[in-house]
Each structure stands twice: as structure tokens, then as C-alpha cells.
Amino acid sequence: MENPKEIGLEKLEQTFSLPDVVSLCEEEDSLVILDQTQLPAREVFQKINKEEELIDAIVRLKVRGAPAIGVAAAAGLYVCFARTLANMTSAQLMQTEFQALANRIRASRPTAVNLSWALDRMTVLFKQWIAGKDKISMSDFQEIKHLLRAEAVRIKEEDIEMCKQIALHGVGLISSGSRILTHCNAGHLAVSRYGTALAPIYLAQACGLNPKVYADETRPLLQGARLTAYELMKFGVNTTLVCDNMAASLMSQGMIDLIMVGCDRIAANGDVANKIGTCGVAVLAHHYHVPFYVLGPTSTFDPHTPTGKDIVIEQRAASEVTDLHYIHRMAPEHVQVYNPAFDVTPAELVTAYITEKGVFRQIEDFH
Ligand code: MRU
């Protein structure tokens, strides 16, 4: 008999109807993204053909979430590079232009390692192809375009597969009617399909376990209120929105069975960078003895960053804090603002890491 989780996954694949967040247009070489700054009010797609549009989309969080940024960066690098190929007369020039473009995209957001990871994959492929070449012909243009496009598509397909595996491993942590708290958005909108932290929840729903999710609103940019609540409800998951400062109250009353969050970078010692506020949730979980699970693909693990202290935390505009979702000014003019986009949860507060490879209680098992 087939495994019930596999049957659930089949059902999930058949019934999941949210549109792709990042894709390459079939008929023309454009990147298409779902503009997440407009959700949940409008589902608007944007075509991206130029470097400025790509970088703007990443910086302004039109496309966001660690794995989705990586997938968009790889596809965007292909699209933007392919458009400039006609001007490249030598291999030397081509190599310089490729590297410079990849570096400018890399600098758009510093914390999520998936961005660099995906660009590195594209770069390795490019360098292997160009090694030993001198002059560049028309057939070379076609060949490198084909190779880069195929690699960008592969990165997306692998991301979908990793999310499915995370769903299969993570669903074992969910029982019938489990009450789960999540922070920020680590769902379908943050990846290529299904999510990391939310993937096991979707699978649990497809398996008939009826999980109940509490979504932290996630100030300042409200990814929980705007995105997590939106996508969970679209799939019919029992969803309750709470303000960030309500987590302690929920946990103290025994209303949360487990916590599932995503991650932007896991350092070699297991410290986890994720959306600002995650560390506070982990401290509370420790105090109230609620298991705290971090879910992400192995591409989010960064062996080159020794500890959380070495992770560069992105600082963002003051207006994100002073204004309510860019619209309504709440704070006095000229007030000083501190607005780090991420914080670091120490490894000792993590109950387990769930990746496409399994459930790991210790970061050492992950290496
Ligand atoms: O600033 P954002 O919206 O890109 O932050 C996203 C998060 O912090 C997510 O939790 C993380 O990227 C994991 S996404 C699967």
C-alpha cells in the first residue's frame, strides 16, 4: 500500500492552485514575478527584462523569501545577460560583464544566502563554458543562452522538489488538530511552490489532519498578515492572525503545540537568521517548553559563515517603521528608527532543523 503521506502529497499537487511566484516566459526571454507588495488586494504579475527592474523588485520585496530570491536572481541573471550578448565581441569582455552583473544582483539583499548560492551556480556553469575561449561567435551566443536558461529552470525545479521533501519530513511533526505558530512568510510566496515552514502544514491539510495556524502579523512589513494569512486561507487552512506581541500570551495559555519558521541563513554552528522577531518567538518557546522548528532547504545552510554573529543583517528604510505599510504615517517626523530586517536565533533554542534531507536535532548531523 502507498504511504499516506505520499497520497497526501499527490492530493496537494492536484489541488494546490496558487500561481507561480517566479517563472520564465516561454515565448520570450522575460522573467515574470508576482508582485507581492500588492498582495492581498491584487494579484499583479510583472515582466522583468532589465537589471534595474530586477534589482528594484528584490530590494522592494516584490519578490521575497530566501529561496524565491535565489530562483529570481538566477532567472534574472539569465534574462538580463542574454539581452546584452549582442554587444560582446570577446570572451574577456563577456566574462567581465557577466561577473559584474552577478555581483550587482548579489548586493541587492545581503542576509539570505540563497541569493549568492543561486548566482554562484550560474557563475560556475558560465566559467566552465567560457574557459579556453577567445573570440565569440553567434553559435556561442545561442549555446550559452541555452545553458544558462536550463540552469535557471533547474534551480527552480530543484527548489520545488526540496519543498516537497521538506513537507514529507515535516508533516511527521504535526498531529491531528495541531496548533502551530508561524512568523513572517515561509510559504508558497517565499519559494517556487508550497513553501518551507508552510509546506508540511499544506501536506497535513491535504492528509486531513486539520492543523490550526496562528500567523504572526510580522511588523514592520506585515508578511504574516498580508501573505501568510492570504495563502493559507486560499488553501482552506484554519488560520488566525495575531499581532507579534501576542505570542507570549498564546504560549502561556497552552494554545500553541509547536512553532514552524523558515530561515534566511543557517550558520555553521546552527545559529539561524530569519525575519526580525523570530528570535523573540524562540526565546518564548524555550520558556514555555514549546518545540521550535526551523525549516529550509540545504541551500540556506552556509558553512562559510561560522556563527550568527558573522551574518550580515540587512538594515532597511526608516519609513517601513514610521509608516503603516508605506501608506499612513504614524510616528513623529524625524524620530530615530532602528530597522533590522532579520535577527539571529541561537542554535540552542532550535529543537530541530527540517531540510529536504530529513529532521536534524543537531546541526552537526546536518553537515
Ligand atoms: O524580508 P523577507 O520577506 O524576504 O523575509 C523572509 C523571511 O524571513 C522568511 O522567513 C525566510 O526567507 C524563509 S522563506 C522560505
Side-chain angles (χ1 to χ4, degrees):
M1 203 181 86
E2 239 186 303
N3 179 338
K5 288 191 217 166
E6 299 284 352
I7 297 171
L9 191 59
E10 245 175 71
K11 193 168 160 208
L12 174 60
E13 288 176 276
Q14 282 157 12
T15 50
F16 200 81
S17 60
L18 279 158
D20 273 11
V21 169
V22 180
S23 49
L24 276 166
C25 223
E26 284 298 332
E27 60 279 9
E28 52 182 297
D29 276 332
S30 297
L31 167 66
V32 181
I33 59 152
L34 173 61
D35 179 354
Q36 298 190 33
T37 59
Q38 309 221 27
L39 288 173
R42 284 174 295 273
E43 262 181 22
V44 177
F45 292 87
Q46 184 188 344
K47 263 190 190 168
I48 292 183
N49 294 309
K50 295 194 199 110
E51 177 189 337
E52 310 81 80
E53 294 167 337
L54 174 67
I55 290 177
D56 177 71
I58 296 175
V59 169
R60 291 180 50 203
L61 312 194
K62 288 179 172 184
V63 58
R64 40 124 332 258
I69 300 172
V71 174
L77 174 61
Y78 157 69
V79 165
C80 300
F81 186 65
R83 276 171 200 263
T84 60
L85 272 174
N87 309 326
M88 317 250 173
T89 44
S90 71
Q92 177 66 48
L93 178 64
M94 199 184 224
Q95 182 145 15
T96 311
E97 293 292 323
F98 183 91
Q99 202 60 64
L101 175 61
N103 286 344
R104 290 192 296 271
I105 300 171
R106 195 185 300 271
S108 58
R109 290 195 82 187
T111 305
V113 72
N114 310 61
L115 177 65
S116 287
W117 173 88
L119 292 170
D120 286 346
R121 267 185 63 162
M122 299 290 278
T123 305
V124 166
L125 180 138
F126 177 77
K127 281 188 173 163
Q128 277 166 359
W129 175 80
I130 207 155
K133 284 197 169 44
D134 182 14
K135 286 216 169 68
I136 296 292
S137 66
M138 280 305 279
S139 65
D140 284 327
F141 286 163
Q142 290 314 319
E143 189 180 38
I144 189 60
K145 271 176 73 169
H146 174 76
L147 288 173
L148 288 173
R149 189 182 221 280
E151 183 69 349
V153 169
R154 206 159 25 241
I155 288 172
K156 177 174 168 178
E157 281 168 359
E158 286 174 16
D159 187 45
I160 296 173
E161 191 49 41
M162 286 193 282
C163 290
K164 284 193 215 165
Q165 293 305 318
I166 290 171
L168 285 167
H169 292 300
V171 77
L173 304 166
I174 301 175
S175 313
S176 179
S178 280
R179 297 156 306 168
I180 305 164
L181 179 80
T182 191
H183 190 74
C184 191
N185 173 265
H188 174 78
L189 295 167
V191 300
S192 299
R193 209 164 294 158
Y194 310 123
T196 57
L198 299 193
I201 295 172
Y202 286 127
L203 182 51
Q205 179 76 5
C207 292
L209 291 173
N210 296 319
K212 178 174 173 64
V213 179
Y214 288 92
D216 275 352
E217 64 173 347
T218 317
R219 277 282 288 150
L221 291 181
L222 303 173
Q223 285 93 334
R226 294 187 302 109
L227 308 176
T228 297
Y230 166 78
E231 61 162 273
L232 285 172
M233 287 173 72
K234 269 212 152 188
F235 197 65
V237 176
N238 182 336
T239 307
T240 302
L241 178 63
V242 291
C243 298
D244 298 332
N245 53 6
M246 296 171 186
S249 165
L250 287 170
M251 286 188 233
S252 69
Q253 295 176 75
M255 290 169 70
I256 303 295
D257 299 309
L258 66 154
I259 292 156
M260 289 181 145
V261 295
C263 45
D264 286 84
R265 190 182 294 241
I266 304 177
N269 72 339
D271 291 350
V272 177
N274 192 48
K275 179 54 55 193
I276 190 76
T278 305
C279 180
V281 174
V283 171
L284 289 169
H286 182 72
H287 182 81
Y288 289 110
H289 309 291
V290 178
F292 180 87
Y293 297 112
V294 171
L295 298 95
T298 44
S299 51
T300 310
F301 177 66
D302 178 12
H304 306 296
T305 297
T307 74
K309 287 201 177 68
D310 306 299
I311 298 175
V312 177
I313 300 293
E314 176 185 4
Q315 297 288 329
R316 293 187 58 89
S319 57
E320 291 182 352
V321 176
T322 55
D323 298 15
L324 190 58
H325 200 236
Y326 305 116
I327 304 165
H328 175 71
R329 178 93 192 176
M330 306 178 297
E333 291 295 333
H334 311 303
V335 66
Q336 291 184 58
V337 171
Y338 175 59
N339 184 19
F342 302 95
D343 62 21
V344 175
T345 300
E348 71 250 31
L349 297 181
V350 178
T351 309
Y353 306 85
I354 292 90
T355 79
E356 74 278 12
K357 297 191 175 154
V359 177
F360 300 93
R361 302 271 158 187
Q362 304 281 335
I363 195 66
E364 289 74 25
D365 304 336
F366 193 87
H367 290 220

